[in-house]
Amino acid sequence: MNEKEVEEAAVDVMPKQDLSWIPNLFKKRVCTTFVEDSFSNGGRCQCGATRDSHPSVALGDYFSTAIVSHWDSTQHSSEQPTDAYGELEFAGAGKRHSYFLRLSSTTDPSMVFNIMRRHWKLGQPNLVVSVVGGEGRSKVKSWVREVLRQGLVKAAQSTGAWIITSGLREGIGKCVGEAVRDHAAAVSSVTFNKVVPIGIAPWGMVHNRQQLIDSEGSFPAKYFVQNTPRATCSLDNNYKAFLLVDDGTEGRKGGEVSFRGRLEDYISRQRPAGSSSIDIPVLNMLISGGISMVEALEISLKNSMPWLVLASSGGLANLVSDIVENVQSAPMSSFGGAENEEGSPNIELRERITTKVKKHFPSEQDMDKLVDKVLSIYQNKDLISIYHAEGVDDFDTVMLKVLVQASKQRVSVSTNPYVDELKLAVTWNRVDIAKSELFSGNIDWKYEDLEESMTDALENDKPQFVRLFIDNGLSIVSYLTYGRLEGLYDSISKTSQAGMLLQHLLEERINESNDRTCQVSLYEVSQLLEDLLGEVCQPFYRSVLQVEATSTKRKALKKACKVLKEECIYRKNMCRHPWLGLFLWSVLQNRGEMAIFCWEMCGESVLTALGGCKLLRELSKLEIETEAKHSMKELATKFECMAHDVFSTCYQTKASYSYKLLIRKSYLWGDATCLKMALTADARLFFSHDGVQSLLSQIWWGDMERGTELWKLVLTMIIPPLLYTDLIDFKKAENAEEVKSVMVPPPPPSATYNNYGETVFSFNDIKHHEGDHEDLNNIRRSTKAGTAMNSQPRKGLIWVSRWKQFWYAPVTSFIGNVVMYFLFLFLYAYVLLVDFKPPPPEGPAVSEYVLYFWVFTIVCEEIRETFIVGSKTFGQRLMLYAQDVWNKFDVLAISLFIAGMCCRMFSWSFNFGRGILCMDYMVFTLRLIHIFAIHRQLGPKIIILGKMIKDAFFFLFFLAVWLSAYGVANQALLYQYDPSPDRAFRRVLYRPYLHIFGQIPVEEIDTGKYWDRDCTDNLTLINEGKEPCRDTSHNWLVVILLVIFLLVTNILLVNLLIATFSYTFSKVQERSDTYWKFQRYTLIVEYHSRPTLAPPFIILSHINLLIKRNLRKVASTKIHRFALQLKGRDANKLVKWETFQKENFLALENKKRRGTDSERLKRMTAKVDGVIKQVGEIRDVDRRLRALESDMEYCTSSLQWIMEALSQSSTVKVTKAHPTRKASGISASIEK
């Protein structure tokens, strides 16, 4: 046993380049005893080889030769290391190489199976079909070829099967090879790889086998296919692998039969890929065949191997089909049982079988022996199925039924006789067979019957079966426990991206707990989802493990280790949200079809689709393989489109409910919202939807009418009393109530206004989220009461509400910040240009102090935005702040300002500080670009500008290479010696750069031109800084280099930059509107969260917030911006409405899909197949009627004979004549 494990390990780990281990494991057979063949006059041994081809040892033992009359492979041959293995190239075939191996007939089949799977990479089969019969050069019938092409190979492709034949270019082996070749030409390479034809042939029957011999292996061996003599046959080039079985004979058939049987038996005890419930089914298929195959058929049936016999194919197949269908056992009687005292079959049955054998093989000499074997075959007829070419069922359906029937013979007790058939259908991924044969409504399936198959379907990515099981009564709530969910995550491939991440997290827990037997648990899943989703939602599965959601990673790990060391009772509990759990599991594995099905079954479809998009895009960033990365991005885009389309259906149905979907906190996704998830998922297409933009516009304008002119807003900010005129239109009471009803139904009078959903649009709600509940609730109640009871509310309240309606709108905050920022830049420029005084005590001026205070208020706002707003930890806030490019601009501008301010205070660094402040002014000015991102025309252009800047960096790289190359060469040619670094830098880099823009100092470069400048050749003066004179010896080369430089830079590189910019512009311009709408959201969120006042007056808002947070202890709820908390009936109503809209969307998509040409062709094909099936049924009925008619004629003639015998007998006296047949009436009815 240990030796066998060592051999398997060698097969598994040895590299392809070093195959010296193969001859040590696999052997060939050589005849060691010459046993004379009586028909060859002493020139040939019974092994088939000539006397001359035998070694001297085999010819020297005359005594053994004299006493031995029959040559035996095991006794008269010995094993030696194999000398034929490697890859096989068929000359002129133009196909990829096949594998071949010469091995002894006594080789352990486990070694062969391992090398086929692990070294030849053939893959674990789901089915093995062993085709026997039809050998030799007899012509195969045309309809048999069609059965092999349309039936066998097609079924093998659909099930992922190995097809085993002799692999020779004769008989059935050649027909199977041609069928595989024709099938490969009609399907894709991925589908064709599922069909694995394997040839098992006797080594002595292979023509030109000497071409395969190489003791060191052949990679490849070139094999020529030729017309062969009758004794040998060439290999067929359509097979992927050849096992050449050597029993020491030459030109003798049958040497591979015993090894083939042992290999098939070994395979039948293995498990298919990804399945742990059934063994690999092995099916033998008999086509034609001679008497020599009767013994192999008998032995195979005794080993309970199922057989499928192709009726009417000739030879032995006709005999077997005849006795199985037409021979019946003798009935039991009182005077003669079915068996006699010796236990042999009764005489009548033997006579019937003898008649059939003589009919099909009349020239057989040893008839009694053949009848005995056929009788043994008949006793195992339950394992034999007959296939008629004109039958009703498809070939793969027949194979399934044959294998199931055989499994029922092996396993007598089963809870449901159809469970094995279902397992095979799942293994083969044939949902069509399962629908038509198993789930047609005639079988009562129980939960226990479907449970194991459901697990196989999930683990092996077969969503159609999952859908089938759910449609037929499998409860996903009862099925998916937390323990089973952990098992599904543990089954994820360790080579996938999610599998590697889970294993990394598992190793961390193993190191913490020191438990090496750990498997993937919900802790690793929770941590992985948290790493991928970030802070968009609360962690998953923390409550199941009794870990607090706000715990740090270290505390969560310790708590999880403690819980998992104990008895994990939670694993028996039902999963709270089973479809969401399966959706996340499918998305992490990038299983598109399975994930989409789980999404269809899951609630909150818009948010779930966006969540899948987020996960896939985060995984694609970590993925290294290009194909997997591309697949993830495609699936993420598909989920984004699905979220967009479902929300579009919702928005078209009812806009107010669709707004709720965008900002509602999801209980399913840990308080995440659609807008927040879409932002983190970079779902630009979703943000470009009109419904999302309509919601953002309502938030942006607050209680003011959309489309109010800009000059009216600015004028009102300058002259606040204009608020109480009709200059600015505000929403009417009815519109305000309608807008609020968009977010939440009107609450009862006793309800408190703690729902942020009511406060998204109006100033009152924004103020409410600032924390001043008491005053504003009184205002809100008074305002609403006045609106309901009196059309003339109190004048004082209108003034207060109008004031807050204007100033609490985000658009007002934005315009105020823009205006004040322009004033800030104006003040900054004034200080730099006009009022920048010397260091203390003369300066700074008052205006500069005002500038310092202004920058101080900007710093305070940045600190508030970064470290105060939000519920995240300090590190999380800092990372989130650093992700924004414009925040980095702010940090740079503030840092430069502080550095410049400090330097300008000292005389020794005054000029340096002034230079820093001048550069800082440029940074502050560039910050204006972000402010104008809200503009519909300028916003997309800003995005294009950012893309072009990235392109310009690549251009500058090429330009720098060419500049340095030309500049150094030009300087060295013009000046032999110039030690001045300043002049060298200007002439090497700065001067060539100016050449691009047309500034070419010809007098300085061309020595043929006069240059009015003092120079010297004295090295001492040159070292002191004097201008060196030019070298005139290379003037021609300098001019040529200048021409080439201008040609490359001004024509090639500049035009390359222009072309790149044009491509970027056209590419971004196509989706500029989508980009702008996505960018607009971030700007609206920013100004929605800002205080109303702009710097420098924002310090007053900061003082107000400081008093509220620290002194009055009023919590801020503005951190929950764009969030609606729905509970109870309202939440259920919204979820049901969303689910209904999703179903409408799916129904519409299904209708569109059914209207496509491909679906119409599928339906037409199904109808034609149905017609063909009915015709086949009619033919079957006709055949049965003919058989019944034949039996009736026999019974009629027998009765007639009995009547005649009785009428002539003197024993029985009858007084009444026997009845006569009314032939005329019957014939008339038949004519009708």
Side-chain angles (χ1 to χ4, degrees):
M1 184 64 183
N2 294 333
E3 182 181 357
K4 178 180 178 181
E5 292 178 354
V6 170
E7 292 173 350
E8 293 184 1
V11 173
D12 195 14
V13 302
M14 285 295 179
K16 180 178 179 180
Q17 290 76 12
D18 183 15
L19 296 177
S20 59
W21 51 274
I22 288 185
N24 298 329
L25 294 180
F26 299 97
K27 309 296 181 180
K28 67 177 181 178
R29 279 200 168 272
V30 178
C31 180
T32 57
T33 304
F34 183 85
V35 180
E36 181 180 342
D37 187 358
S38 58
F39 297 98
S40 62
N41 297 324
R44 188 178 297 273
C45 176
Q46 291 185 13
C47 70
T50 60
R51 178 183 292 271
D52 297 337
S53 62
H54 282 70
S56 58
V57 178
L59 299 174
D61 193 358
Y62 296 104
F63 178 76
S64 299
T65 304
I67 64 175
V68 174
S69 61
H70 179 70
W71 187 90
D72 184 77
S73 175
T74 56
Q75 298 179 7
H76 304 135
S77 64
S78 63
E79 291 186 344
Q80 298 180 8
T82 185
D83 56 1
Y85 59 91
E87 296 178 0
L88 188 62
E89 178 185 1
F90 289 89
K95 296 184 178 181
R96 61 182 179 181
H97 300 167
S98 303
Y99 301 101
F100 75 98
L101 173 64
R102 179 185 181 182
L103 66 154
S104 171
S105 59
T106 58
T107 304
D108 186 359
S110 62
M111 296 166 50
V112 180
F113 187 69
N114 288 331
I115 197 175
M116 292 169 71
R117 284 192 57 251
R118 299 172 183 173
H119 185 69
W120 293 353
K121 306 296 182 184
L122 296 185
Q124 193 88 341
N126 293 326
L127 169 68
V128 174
V129 180
S130 179
V131 184
V132 297
E135 305 298 339
R137 302 179 185 273
S138 58
K139 186 176 180 180
V140 180
K141 299 178 181 179
S142 59
W143 67 268
V144 175
R145 295 175 182 268
E146 193 66 21
V147 168
L148 294 175
R149 183 181 294 108
Q150 299 295 333
L152 176 62
V153 179
K154 181 181 177 181
Q157 176 264 319
S158 64
T159 57
W162 286 4
I163 303 178
I164 298 179
T165 70
S166 64
L168 301 176
R169 288 181 62 87
E170 65 174 11
I172 295 299
K174 181 179 179 181
C175 293
V176 171
E178 292 174 349
V180 172
R181 178 198 63 198
D182 297 340
H183 181 74
V187 298
S188 62
S189 59
V190 177
T191 306
F192 173 65
N193 287 335
K194 296 181 180 180
V195 182
V196 182
I198 299 173
I200 302 180
W203 168 259
M205 287 291 296
V206 178
H207 183 64
N208 286 340
R209 53 184 175 274
Q210 298 300 324
Q211 300 175 4
L212 309 179
I213 296 177
D214 189 339
S215 59
E216 296 182 357
S218 303
F219 301 97
K222 204 158 189 178
Y223 186 77
F224 294 88
V225 179
Q226 301 174 349
N227 294 327
T228 60
R230 295 192 72 87
T232 58
C233 186
S234 298
L235 298 176
D236 193 286
N237 61 349
N238 295 303
Y239 286 76
K240 287 188 178 181
F242 295 94
L243 298 176
L244 307 179
V245 182
D246 189 2
D247 64 343
T249 63
E250 292 185 13
R252 299 287 192 270
K253 294 182 180 181
E256 82 287 359
V257 174
S258 61
F259 170 78
R260 181 171 173 175
R262 287 187 289 109
L263 177 63
E264 292 169 359
D265 181 66
Y266 176 81
I267 295 176
S268 67
R269 289 183 274 109
Q270 307 305 309
R271 300 284 185 180
S275 176
S276 59
S277 58
I278 62 172
D279 296 331
I280 298 176
V282 177
L283 175 65
N284 293 278
M285 185 175 178
L286 177 62
I287 301 176
S288 185
I291 298 178
S292 59
M293 302 190 62
V294 174
E295 184 176 359
L297 176 60
E298 179 189 8
I299 296 173
S300 178
L301 289 173
K302 288 182 179 180
N303 293 330
S304 300
M305 299 293 288
W307 281 78
L308 180 63
V309 179
L310 188 59
S312 304
S313 59
L316 182 61
N318 288 356
L319 172 62
V320 174
S321 61
D322 193 6
I323 63 173
V324 170
E325 291 183 334
N326 300 323
V327 175
Q328 297 180 356
S329 300
M332 299 290 294
S333 61
S334 58
F335 55 87
E339 297 182 359
N340 58 14
E341 296 177 354
E342 297 178 357
S344 60
N346 61 63
I347 299 175
E348 185 178 355
L349 177 60
R350 184 180 180 86
E351 290 178 353
R352 294 179 183 177
I353 290 179
T354 303
T355 304
K356 298 293 183 181
V357 172
K358 290 181 178 179
K359 174 183 176 183
H360 293 281
F361 295 99
S363 59
E364 176 62 23
Q365 301 295 329
D366 194 354
M367 185 62 67
D368 293 337
K369 184 178 180 181
L370 178 61
V371 170
D372 291 337
K373 293 180 179 180
V374 173
L375 195 57
S376 176
I377 292 173
Y378 179 80
Q379 291 175 342
N380 294 284
K381 67 176 182 178
D382 292 336
L383 295 172
I384 301 175
S385 297
I386 310 301
Y387 177 75
H388 296 274
E390 69 278 3
V392 177
D393 294 330
D394 294 332
F395 192 82
D396 44 10
T397 307
V398 173
M399 287 198 305
L400 178 64
K401 293 180 178 180
V402 171
L403 293 171
V404 170
Q405 183 179 1
S407 65
K408 292 176 184 177
Q409 296 296 326
R410 293 192 296 265
V411 183
S412 59
V413 179
S414 178
T415 56
N416 190 331
Y418 298 98
V419 171
D420 292 334
E421 191 171 353
L422 177 60
K423 290 179 180 179
L424 281 176
V426 173
T427 303
W428 296 354
N429 198 19
R430 293 303 305 271
V431 70
D432 54 338
I433 295 178
K435 285 181 179 179
S436 60
E437 301 294 333
L438 303 175
F439 292 93
S440 58
N442 300 325
I443 304 173
D444 183 19
W445 290 101
K446 298 180 180 179
Y447 171 78
E448 295 78 9
D449 301 333
L450 302 178
E451 185 178 9
E452 191 173 358
S453 297
M454 179 70 169
T455 303
D456 287 345
L458 286 171
E459 292 181 352
N460 297 297
D461 193 20
K462 297 172 182 177
Q464 293 181 344
F465 273 100
V466 177
R467 185 189 298 270
L468 183 65
F469 296 151
I470 296 300
D471 293 341
N472 285 273
L474 179 67
S475 174
I476 193 65
V477 177
S478 302
Y479 170 79
L480 192 65
T481 60
Y482 286 115
R484 183 163 279 145
L485 184 61
E486 285 184 345
L488 291 175
Y489 276 104
D490 192 59
S491 68
I492 295 178
S493 173
K494 305 301 184 292
T495 59
S496 65
Q497 187 62 45
M500 290 188 291
L501 294 174
L502 287 173
Q503 290 302 312
H504 175 71
L505 295 171
L506 180 60
E507 290 175 2
E508 292 182 358
R509 183 163 64 88
I510 291 175
N511 296 332
E512 178 69 22
S513 62
N514 295 323
D515 185 6
R516 296 294 172 183
T517 61
C518 293
Q519 294 182 345
V520 175
S521 66
L522 288 182
Y523 168 75
E524 286 77 32
V525 179
S526 173
Q527 195 60 46
L528 175 60
L529 293 175
E530 184 179 358
D531 294 341
L532 295 175
L533 293 173
E535 297 298 322
V536 71
C537 62
Q538 296 180 3
F540 285 85
Y541 307 123
R542 285 283 182 93
S543 60
V544 179
L545 297 171
Q546 303 175 10
V547 179
E548 295 181 0
T550 57
S551 300
T552 61
K553 184 177 180 180
R554 185 66 181 173
K555 291 182 179 179
L557 177 59
K558 290 184 177 180
K559 181 64 175 177
C561 291
K562 182 179 179 182
V563 172
L564 294 172
K565 282 183 179 179
E566 301 172 355
E567 184 179 0
C568 301
I569 304 176
Y570 74 90
R571 291 176 177 168
K572 299 179 182 179
N573 298 334
M574 303 301 175
C575 188
R576 184 175 299 177
H577 307 294
W579 284 118
L580 179 62
L582 291 178
F583 173 79
L584 295 173
W585 173 76
S586 304
V587 167
L588 290 176
Q589 298 181 86
N590 193 25
R591 293 182 173 180
E593 191 176 353
M594 181 73 76
I596 291 175
F597 170 68
C598 295
W599 171 81
E600 293 176 1
M601 304 299 294
C602 189
E604 301 185 11
S605 54
V606 177
L607 181 57
T608 302
L610 292 173
C613 176
K614 165 70 174 174
L615 288 173
L616 287 165
R617 284 179 175 161
E618 292 297 328
L619 283 173
S620 66
K621 296 176 184 177
L622 303 174
E623 184 60 57
I624 300 175
E625 297 182 4
T626 305
E627 185 176 354
K629 181 189 291 287
H630 180 68
S631 175
M632 289 179 181
K633 289 182 177 179
E634 281 188 346
L635 186 57
T637 304
K638 189 171 185 178
F639 274 121
E640 182 183 356
C641 294
M642 289 162 59
H644 176 275
D645 295 341
V646 174
F647 180 74
S648 179
T649 304
C650 297
Y651 183 69
Q652 293 172 5
T653 305
K654 195 169 186 179
S656 59
Y657 275 31
S658 65
Y659 294 150
K660 290 183 182 181
L661 291 179
L662 294 176
I663 61 176
R664 175 207 51 192
K665 286 186 177 181
S666 169
Y667 174 70
L668 198 65
W669 279 86
D671 290 342
T673 64
C674 289
L675 287 180
K676 195 174 181 181
M677 185 69 77
L679 177 66
T680 58
D682 196 26
R684 293 189 173 99
L685 177 63
F686 182 79
F687 271 105
S688 66
H689 192 275
D690 293 339
V692 180
Q693 294 302 309
S694 177
L695 173 66
L696 296 179
S697 297
Q698 292 186 27
I699 298 174
W700 180 248
W701 288 98
D703 285 337
M704 291 183 289
E705 291 290 343
R706 296 170 58 181
T708 303
E709 288 82 354
L710 180 62
W711 66 270
K712 292 182 180 181
L713 297 175
V714 176
L715 185 61
T716 306
M717 294 177 65
I718 298 174
I719 311 175
L722 293 176
L723 275 173
Y724 306 106
T725 65
D726 295 332
L727 181 64
I728 296 180
D729 296 328
F730 290 88
K731 295 175 181 177
K732 297 180 181 180
E734 295 81 2
N735 293 339
E737 292 299 325
E738 181 181 354
V739 167
K740 291 178 183 178
S741 68
V742 162
M743 304 313 305
V744 69
S750 61
T752 57
Y753 294 90
N754 58 354
N755 193 332
Y756 190 80
E758 301 175 56
T759 65
V760 173
F761 306 113
S762 68
F763 77 94
N764 290 321
D765 302 324
I766 296 175
K767 186 63 180 176
H768 169 68
H769 277 277
E770 287 294 322
D772 196 359
H773 298 280
E774 298 177 1
D775 298 337
L776 289 179
N777 278 344
N778 292 332
I779 294 173
R780 187 194 300 266
R781 293 191 191 99
S782 302
T783 303
K784 287 192 173 184
T787 302
M789 295 184 297
N790 190 359
S791 60
Q792 298 290 336
R794 286 179 292 178
K795 191 173 182 180
L797 291 179
I798 291 181
W799 285 9
V800 175
S801 62
R802 182 63 61 87
W803 177 270
K804 294 179 178 179
Q805 281 177 333
F806 177 77
W807 289 106
Y808 279 80
V811 64
T812 307
S813 176
F814 171 76
I815 294 175
N817 277 272
V818 171
V819 172
M820 297 307 295
Y821 199 79
F822 273 108
L823 293 178
F824 166 75
L825 293 177
F826 176 76
L827 176 62
Y828 201 159
Y830 174 78
V831 170
L832 290 177
L833 298 176
V834 179
D835 206 12
F836 197 80
K837 293 187 177 182
E842 290 84 357
V846 177
S847 60
E848 193 169 350
Y849 279 117
V850 174
L851 180 64
Y852 293 165
F853 176 74
W854 204 318
V855 174
F856 171 72
T857 59
I858 294 176
V859 173
C860 291
E861 173 58 21
E862 292 296 323
I863 294 175
R864 183 202 68 83
E865 182 182 348
T866 308
F867 303 112
I868 297 178
V869 176
S871 59
K872 302 179 179 65
T873 62
F874 177 82
Q876 292 172 345
R877 294 173 184 170
L878 192 61
M879 290 295 295
L880 185 63
Y881 179 83
Q883 290 177 0
D884 191 353
V885 177
W886 297 109
N887 288 337
K888 297 176 183 177
F889 256 84
D890 293 336
V891 173
L892 177 62
I894 293 171
S895 302
L896 289 176
F897 188 88
I898 295 173
M901 181 185 67
C902 295
C903 291
R904 67 96 57 222
M905 294 298 176
F906 305 97
S907 58
W908 59 271
S909 60
F910 175 79
N911 290 328
F912 182 69
R914 189 174 187 276
I916 293 178
L917 290 174
C918 292
M919 295 299 298
D920 189 42
Y921 179 80
M922 294 181 61
V923 178
F924 272 114
T925 306
L926 291 175
R927 188 65 172 79
L928 279 172
I929 295 177
H930 176 57
I931 295 176
F932 291 109
I934 195 67
H935 196 270
R936 193 177 189 90
Q937 279 72 37
L938 292 179
K941 301 303 184 292
I942 294 173
I943 298 172
I944 295 174
L945 179 62
K947 300 277 187 182
M948 288 183 174
I949 290 175
K950 294 180 181 179
D951 295 335
F953 278 109
F954 295 101
F955 167 78
L956 291 176
F957 169 76
F958 291 110
L959 183 62
V961 172
W962 189 242
L963 278 177
S964 59
Y966 168 74
V968 171
N970 183 68
Q971 176 68 8
L973 291 173
L974 284 175
Y975 300 96
Q976 294 182 354
Y977 179 72
D978 188 1
S980 174
D982 180 63
R983 286 196 298 265
F985 173 77
R986 288 176 176 272
R987 291 171 178 172
V988 170
L989 296 177
Y990 181 61
R991 186 174 62 186
Y993 179 74
L994 295 178
H995 290 353
I996 302 175
F997 304 98
Q999 187 175 348
I1000 305 173
V1002 180
E1003 296 83 1
E1004 182 180 355
I1005 297 177
D1006 190 357
T1007 57
K1009 300 286 184 179
Y1010 174 73
W1011 189 26
D1012 185 13
R1013 188 166 184 176
D1014 295 334
C1015 62
T1016 180
D1017 291 328
N1018 192 331
L1019 295 179
T1020 304
L1021 296 177
I1022 293 175
N1023 289 328
E1024 293 177 355
K1026 191 72 175 178
E1027 175 75 23
C1029 292
R1030 296 174 296 175
D1031 184 9
T1032 60
S1033 60
H1034 298 92
N1035 181 56
W1036 61 276
L1037 187 56
V1038 171
V1039 175
I1040 292 175
L1041 288 180
L1042 176 62
V1043 173
I1044 296 175
F1045 173 75
L1046 294 177
L1047 177 67
V1048 173
T1049 55
N1050 288 20
I1051 296 179
L1052 295 182
L1053 292 182
V1054 173
N1055 280 281
L1056 174 63
L1057 180 64
I1058 294 172
T1060 305
F1061 283 172
S1062 299
Y1063 172 75
T1064 301
F1065 181 84
S1066 60
K1067 183 179 179 180
V1068 178
Q1069 186 67 22
E1070 294 175 356
R1071 298 182 293 173
S1072 60
D1073 189 63
T1074 302
Y1075 281 107
W1076 170 76
K1077 289 178 178 178
F1078 181 75
Q1079 187 172 325
R1080 178 173 178 250
Y1081 170 78
T1082 58
L1083 196 66
I1084 292 176
V1085 171
E1086 177 183 350
Y1087 282 96
H1088 181 269
S1089 62
R1090 274 177 175 252
T1092 304
L1093 300 177
F1097 306 108
I1098 199 173
I1099 194 68
L1100 301 177
S1101 298
H1102 290 162
I1103 295 173
N1104 182 34
L1105 291 175
L1106 184 64
I1107 294 172
K1108 287 182 178 180
R1109 302 294 176 262
N1110 296 318
L1111 299 180
R1112 298 178 59 190
K1113 302 298 182 181
V1114 178
S1116 174
T1117 56
K1118 202 166 187 177
I1119 58 176
H1120 305 295
R1121 56 183 179 269
F1122 296 85
L1124 168 66
Q1125 187 73 43
L1126 287 180
K1127 295 182 179 180
R1129 180 180 178 184
D1130 295 334
N1132 293 333
K1133 184 178 180 181
L1134 186 61
V1135 170
K1136 290 180 180 178
W1137 178 79
E1138 182 186 9
T1139 304
F1140 179 72
Q1141 301 305 321
K1142 177 191 68 177
E1143 291 174 354
N1144 290 341
F1145 164 75
L1146 293 175
L1148 183 61
E1149 289 296 313
N1150 187 36
K1151 184 177 179 181
K1152 290 180 180 178
R1153 185 171 58 252
R1154 288 177 60 85
T1156 59
D1157 294 339
S1158 59
E1159 289 296 325
R1160 290 176 180 174
L1161 284 174
K1162 287 181 180 179
R1163 292 197 299 271
M1164 183 64 68
T1165 304
K1167 292 179 180 179
V1168 172
D1169 291 340
V1171 172
I1172 294 175
K1173 188 174 183 180
Q1174 291 180 357
V1175 171
E1177 291 176 353
I1178 294 173
R1179 290 179 178 176
D1180 186 54
V1181 171
D1182 181 67
R1183 183 176 60 84
R1184 293 180 180 179
L1185 288 175
R1186 291 180 183 275
L1188 182 61
E1189 183 180 358
S1190 177
D1191 293 339
M1192 290 296 295
E1193 290 180 355
Y1194 173 77
C1195 292
T1196 303
S1197 59
S1198 299
L1199 290 174
Q1200 186 68 28
W1201 177 81
I1202 294 173
M1203 291 170 60
E1204 291 179 356
L1206 290 175
S1207 62
Q1208 297 175 3
S1209 174
S1210 60
T1211 306
V1212 181
K1213 300 295 185 180
V1214 293
T1215 59
K1216 187 177 180 181
H1218 63 80
T1220 58
R1221 187 177 182 182
K1222 299 180 180 180
S1224 59
I1226 295 175
S1227 61
S1229 62
I1230 293 175
E1231 291 176 359
K1232 289 182 180 181

